[in-house]
């Protein structure tokens, strides 16, 4: 984590330098004359690759698909103009979510542990999207330029600290003795928070959700963490006060009654996240079984128990718990994916294949379904077919390092060694390790030998990566 902070602080200071700002076009507001939207985009992608290299991430395709789908649903009715979003799901049980310049949306697993309904979950993300739409980073840069240039670093550092969990002590250490400027920056941040709350509430209603979920989430978090010596990072960077709760409650109550408060899908995804943070599948099964004993009609607990049993290799028990769920909702994608996983693990591969083929007709663009199809093909020892399936998946997810990692493994199994090195290069570039990426393309070029067209394509991609690496190095100076 320590490597990330000085790198980004240097980048923030560079953005503040007059020479850098003079080349940026004015897009109609003062902040765009200092940090353009395109510069924010480049900054965000550079920052994401560095962050990916330093934090543990959640790679569950169903969780990734849910987060991406839910955020894009909010974006459709938001003021976010540049919708080239990228996501990072951080493997941490601590409550946190954040937005970084350039459309980077980060979610900790702990958000699902704390948000008890879908409405509470989306209220946090609506708030973060409001930070993006109002370009609070660029506006903060513009405000700080009128004070002290070195304090520019604290603005970006705040985003980094939110992601890495350093807390207020990190801000104090970075800022040093510039107490007056810190106070002004915090004042500006409070203004940003109020604006993000206001816009977030409006967008929740426009997206069909009950905006009352936002003050409900704030109220419960304040009660839950009121006496904690070290509250979650989200509450350090987004302080919840009585006045803030009252303001959001007043604004939310002006909305028409109704709107989505919760959904079955959210609760099923939440059960998957809860299982991830249990000490063992056995303990998770015990907890879900207790919930089911209390209410035998609790489908969420039954699903949680089934996936815990799959992870615990209790095939027959899991099958019995999935039966009533599938009988009630035969086409539910979440239940069917669990059944496919069960059939694969218990070596009922023909059953798994038949179910995958049926579901592909109903959900032709479903990412988790295509992912599990690749897993099945590999289980069937069909790496060449899996490689073809992954080529299709890459068209919709070209910047997903998890997909590129699997592409590399699959190409290796099918004997496509040049392709293996190419895929590894893409993976390493996405996680910020350009040295390894360029080296992998060297290996690919050696293998290409006298195949001039292939060698030329590899060489061109290598030059692109070297240019990307140099651009980042230049930004860091």
């Amino acid at each position: 984590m320590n490597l990330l902070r000085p790198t980004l602080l240097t980048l923030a200071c560079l953005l503040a330098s007059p020479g850098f700002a003079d080349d940026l076009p004015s897009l109609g507001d003062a902040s765009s004359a200092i940090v353009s939207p395109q510069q924010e985009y480049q900054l965000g992608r550079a920052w994401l690759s560095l962050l990916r290299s330093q934090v543990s991430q959640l790679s569950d395709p169903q969780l990734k698909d849910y987060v991406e789908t839910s955020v894009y649903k909010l974006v459709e009715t938001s003021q976010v103009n540049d919708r080239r979003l990228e996501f990072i799901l951080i493997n941490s049980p601590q409550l946190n979510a954040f937005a970084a310049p350039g459309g980077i949306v980060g979610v900790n697993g702990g958000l699902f542990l704390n948000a008890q309904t879908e409405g509470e979950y989306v209220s946090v993300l609506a708030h973060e999207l409001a930070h993006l739409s109002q370009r609070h980073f660029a506006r903060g840069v513009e405000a700080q330029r009128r004070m002290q240039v070195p304090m520019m670093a604290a603005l970006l550092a705040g985003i980094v600290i939110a992601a890495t969990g350093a807390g207020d002590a990190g801000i104090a250490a970075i800022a040093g003795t510039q107490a007056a400027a810190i106070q002004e920056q915090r004042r500006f941040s409070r203004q940003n928070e109020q604006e993000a709350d206001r816009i977030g509430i409006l967008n929740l209603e426009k997206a069909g959700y009950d905006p009352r979920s936002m003050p409900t989430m704030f109220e419960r978090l304040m009660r839950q963490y009121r006496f904690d010596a070290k509250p979650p990072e989200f509450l350090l960077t987004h302080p919840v006060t009585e006045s803030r709760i009252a303001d959001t409650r007043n604004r939310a109550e002006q909305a028409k009654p109704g709107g989505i408060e919760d959904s079955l899908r959210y609760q099923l995804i939440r059960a998957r996240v809860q299982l991830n943070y249990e000490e063992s599948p056995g303990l998770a099964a015990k907890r879900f079984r207790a919930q089911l004993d209390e209410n035998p009609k609790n489908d969420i607990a039954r699903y949680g128990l089934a996936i815990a049993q799959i992870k615990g290799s209790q095939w027959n028990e899991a099958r019995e718990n999935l039966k009533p769920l599938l009988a009630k909702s035969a086409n539910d994608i979440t239940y069917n994916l669990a059944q496919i996983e069960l059939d694969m693990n218990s070596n009922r591969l023909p059953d798994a294949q038949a179910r995958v083929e049926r579901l592909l007709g109903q959900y032709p663009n479903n990412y988790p379904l295509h992912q599990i199809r690749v897993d099945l093909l590999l289980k069937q020892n069909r790496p060449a077919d899996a490689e073809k399936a992954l080529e299709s998946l890459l068209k919709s997810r070209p910047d997903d390092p998890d997909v590129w990692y699997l592409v590399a493994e699959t190409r290796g199994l099918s004997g496509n060694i040049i392709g293996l090195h190419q895929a590894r290069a893409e993976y390493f570039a996405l996680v910020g390790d350009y040295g390894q990426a360029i080296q992998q393309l060297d290996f690919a070029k050696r293998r290409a030998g006298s195949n001039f067209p292939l060698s030329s394509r590899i060489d061109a991609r290598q030059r692109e990566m070297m240019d990307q690496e140099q651009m980042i190095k230049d930004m860091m100076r």
Side-chain angles (χ1 to χ4, degrees), residues 33-92:
I34 297 174
V35 183
S36 72
Q38 181 59 26
Q39 203 62 45
E40 278 194 359
Y41 177 84
Q42 293 174 339
L43 168 62
R45 293 321 186 263
W47 177 75
L48 178 60
S49 65
L50 293 169
L51 184 59
R52 278 174 173 162
S53 70
Q54 299 196 34
V55 298
S56 174
Q57 294 157 72
L58 296 166
S59 58
D60 179 3
Q62 292 189 63
L63 176 59
K64 289 163 63 178
D65 182 63
Y66 176 79
V67 170
E68 292 166 11
T69 302
S70 60
V71 170
Y72 275 114
K73 179 181 179 181
L74 288 170
V75 166
E76 286 301 315
T77 56
S78 77
Q79 298 77 21
V80 175
N81 293 320
D82 189 344
R83 298 180 178 180
R84 295 174 295 174
L85 303 182
E86 287 291 340
F87 300 85
I88 180 166
L89 305 185
I90 296 180
N91 186 10
S92 168

Side-chain angles (χ1 to χ4, degrees), residues 17 32 47 56 100 127 130 132 173 223 240 273 300 302 324 417 467:
S17 67
S32 292
W47 177 75
S56 174
H127 174 98
L132 285 183
R223 290 194 303 270
V240 175
V273 177
I300 298 156
R302 189 175 297 279
I417 306 304
D467 288 343

Side-chain angles (χ1 to χ4, degrees), residues 393-447:
L393 188 56
L394 277 174
K395 292 178 182 178
S396 60
R397 305 186 67 84
D399 298 318
D400 189 332
D402 292 331
V403 174
W404 277 111
Y405 185 90
L406 185 57
V407 169
E409 296 298 303
T410 303
R411 287 177 178 176
L413 291 172
S414 65
N416 181 1
I417 306 304
I418 294 176
L420 159 69
H421 291 305
Q422 289 175 301
R424 283 180 177 173
E426 299 298 333
Y427 168 79
F428 283 123
L430 286 168
V431 299
D433 192 341
Y434 283 95
Q436 284 268 33
I438 292 166
Q439 185 180 54
Q440 288 296 322
L441 290 180
D442 276 334
F443 295 153
K445 280 195 294 186
R446 292 175 197 170
R447 286 269 183 174

Side-chain angles (χ1 to χ4, degrees), residues 87 107 289 448:
F87 300 85
V107 173
R289 190 179 290 109

Side-chain angles (χ1 to χ4, degrees), residues 72-357:
Y72 275 114
K73 179 181 179 181
L74 288 170
V75 166
E76 286 301 315
T77 56
S78 77
Q79 298 77 21
V80 175
N81 293 320
D82 189 344
R83 298 180 178 180
R84 295 174 295 174
L85 303 182
E86 287 291 340
F87 300 85
I88 180 166
L89 305 185
I90 296 180
N91 186 10
S92 168
Q94 296 300 310
L95 167 66
N96 201 21
F98 57 90
I104 309 303
V105 178
V107 173
N108 279 20
L111 177 58
F112 288 87
L113 302 182
N114 283 271
Q116 295 184 2
T117 66
E118 183 172 55
E120 293 183 359
Y121 157 82
V122 295
S123 72
V124 172
L125 292 176
H127 174 98
E128 296 303 329
L129 287 175
H131 281 306
L132 285 183
S133 69
Q134 301 310 300
R135 301 192 66 227
H136 282 157
F137 172 78
R139 287 165 57 188
V141 167
E142 197 271 336
Q144 293 300 330
R145 193 186 193 197
R146 294 195 300 266
M147 299 186 312
Q148 298 180 33
V149 169
M151 277 310 300
M152 297 277 294
L155 292 167
L156 187 55
I159 298 173
V160 178
I161 289 166
T164 58
D168 282 344
I171 294 178
I174 292 164
T177 60
Q178 302 179 54
I182 293 174
Q183 184 61 34
E184 178 63 17
Q185 191 244 333
R186 286 177 175 172
R187 184 195 67 78
F188 189 85
S189 294
R190 284 196 295 271
Q191 292 175 350
N192 287 352
E193 291 303 301
Q194 291 170 354
E195 185 174 46
D197 287 345
R198 175 177 58 81
I199 293 172
I201 285 173
L202 291 174
N203 289 334
L204 281 173
E205 184 179 13
K206 288 194 292 184
Y209 291 99
D210 186 348
R212 294 162 185 82
S213 295
M214 182 179 286
T216 298
M217 177 76 165
F218 288 164
E219 287 167 350
R220 192 166 46 72
L221 291 177
M222 190 173 72
R223 290 194 303 270
Q224 185 173 346
Y225 296 105
R226 184 190 296 266
F227 302 110
D228 278 27
K230 191 178 187 304
E233 188 61 35
F234 182 80
L235 296 184
L236 292 175
T237 54
H238 302 71
V240 175
T241 62
E242 295 282 0
S243 62
R244 183 179 184 188
I245 291 173
D247 183 57
T248 54
R249 175 65 68 187
N250 288 337
R251 291 181 184 278
E253 291 297 338
Q254 296 174 25
K256 294 179 181 179
I260 300 169
E261 295 182 20
D262 203 5
S263 72
L264 175 62
R265 189 182 180 209
Y266 174 77
Q267 293 299 338
L268 296 177
I269 293 296
R270 188 169 184 246
R272 296 180 68 85
V273 177
Q274 289 171 333
L275 176 58
N276 183 71
Y277 291 109
E278 290 282 8
E279 292 183 16
S280 69
L283 287 174
K286 183 178 180 180
R287 182 170 60 81
F288 286 123
R289 190 179 290 109
Q291 294 175 11
L292 198 57
D293 289 342
E294 185 177 335
N295 178 10
K297 295 182 179 180
N298 188 337
D299 290 346
I300 298 156
R302 189 175 297 279
Y303 171 76
L305 178 57
I307 58 174
Q309 289 168 335
I310 292 172
K311 291 187 180 296
S313 302
Q314 297 176 291
W315 316 133
N316 293 333
E317 294 87 342
R319 199 172 302 279
E320 288 304 309
N321 278 307
L322 285 175
K323 277 181 182 177
L325 297 177
L326 287 166
K328 184 186 295 186
S329 303
N331 294 319
D332 183 274
I333 186 65
T334 306
Y335 298 155
N336 276 280
L337 287 169
Q339 185 65 53
I340 294 167
E341 183 181 355
L342 172 59
D343 287 339
M344 287 172 56
N345 285 323
S346 57
N347 285 315
R348 296 191 179 189
L349 302 187
D351 291 343
Q353 182 172 343
R355 191 173 295 270
V356 166
E357 290 174 354

